[in-house]
Amino acid sequence: MLSVITFLPLAVCTVLLLLPPRALSNRVCSWVWIVTAAADLALVIALWAAFDPGGGLQYQQRVRWIPSAGVSYHVGVDGLSLPLIALTCLLFLAVAVYSLRETKRVRSYVCLFLFLQTVSLGLFVALDLILFFVFFDLSIVGMFFVIAGWGHGERARAAALKFFLYTFIGSLALLLGFIGLYLAATPHTFDIVDLTRANPLAGRGLYAGLVLLAIGVGLAVKTPTVPFHTWLPPAHTDAPAAGSAILAGVLLKMGTYGVVRIAMPLLPGGWRHYALVIVIVGAVSVVYGALVALAQTDFKRMIAYTSVNHMGYIILAVGAAGTLAGSDAQARSLAVTGAVTQMVSHGLITGALFLLTGVLYDRGGTYSIDAYSGLAAHTPRFAAVTAVAAFASLGIPGFSGFIAEFQIFTGSLASQTVATAIAVTGILITAALFLRALHGMFLGVPQLPQTTPTSGITDLKRSEALSTVALLAVALIIGVAPRWLLDVIEPASHTVIGLVAR
């Protein structure tokens, strides 16, 4: 069933490419994408309904692929991956609905996103390091073409190239770390389950540290954390709105998911030894991302920097989970649960925010906050949805962000009191930057000279409203009644903490 869910979008993509161009109109291509994404989401809901939260890895499939090198097609799902699989399918469906407005090379556009959906799902179900790496690298290729082909002008090509070079170099570091794990294992294997059971780097000292460094750098570039974040703002700013939503909502999670799936359970000794370094990187990313976002006058660039801030919370939590002194297993497990919940929450809320930036650019031709004022009087639905998304992003109670950040801070506070206290200030800075942006764009009387005539800007279209409101509605459901999500994540978090403490 996992293979069907994973490769259904790619199969549809292949059919679309094989059909003659004249056989499919732009509208038909868009609706084929919507139906495919909806079918994939329905399959994931069915899988979720039959999933046993306490059953560990389930729906496993293992087929020999490159047996001489210890590589297999091994897939499965547990409480760490299932929420991200569901997030991926939901976000791609929302982007498909939003993209009904797209008119530029629609068939190629649809096929690229179908390809990216398969790649994203493949990574989250992969239980072999080489299979993980293949999907990790293919996501870079797919997003490169999305940014370069449908971004904003000539700058998009430069932003796409920077994105590709940075993340591809990071993936090479990741591959070196994987090879280091392979060589340390007896017998040699790339299988994540077998490596987790064997713990081949236990007591290996410097060698284990170098392997963790290679894997950590590769995942940090993808996440991204400070100082590996510089590719992110131009990539987001110059990408199309749909591309930014997938980049922030799904592709960034490949880095943080790799931490809880690979770095922590496969390198427990190294993770414990360097936990303080990881915590410091997380706290710096939280504060730095928020402060730089506060300084932005470009609305989309501001949201891009808030992603650095929100990813920092996850890194803080997983670092604190590796600190055995001063905390108990329950607190460390709570931190990991909060980290996974934050991955889901950030994907929903920031995905919606990036789709809304596309509405702003479509109407006004700029992301500049200073170019707009008094928009609420002319676009009340757009103003209301943007305000809800902004408040959800800053972690207000009632939304998923509050649930995630509360768990992260509670689980991290005992062992990392100072770093957690510093990270909490990120919430205050995030509140300030969103309130400033909302006031600048939606409230007050338009000031002259003003480059954008706000009176001529139209409100949300049906497809735009449906896609963004659906994402925020799920964030609201998690914020009000999170038990259905936490029941899936918590057993897997306990397992990770048990492996780290070995």
Side-chain angles (χ1 to χ4, degrees), residues 108-131:
S108 299
Y109 177 88
V110 167
C111 287
L112 269 176
F113 277 97
L114 288 170
F115 169 78
L116 274 172
Q117 184 168 351
T118 283
V119 167
S120 302
L121 292 170
L123 182 138
F124 292 133
V125 302
L127 293 176
D128 182 278
L129 292 177
I130 296 302
L131 188 64

Side-chain angles (χ1 to χ4, degrees), residues 159 224 229-239 296 300-301 304-305 308:
H229 67 288
T230 54
W231 63 266
L232 183 68
H236 270 312
T237 304
D238 297 319
Q296 302 304 310
K300 195 177 188 187
R301 197 174 184 89
Y305 275 109
V308 178

Side-chain angles (χ1 to χ4, degrees), residues 178-208:
F178 289 172
I179 293 173
L181 276 166
Y182 170 83
L183 294 176
T186 305
H188 296 325
T189 181
F190 285 103
D191 190 82
I192 293 174
V193 176
D194 293 342
L195 288 169
T196 301
R197 188 182 302 115
N199 191 14
L201 294 181
R204 297 292 294 270
L206 178 62
Y207 184 85

Side-chain angles (χ1 to χ4, degrees), residues 313-332:
Y313 290 127
I314 298 173
I315 301 303
L316 169 69
V318 295
T323 308
L324 302 188
S327 64
D328 56 23
Q330 183 177 357
R332 298 195 302 274

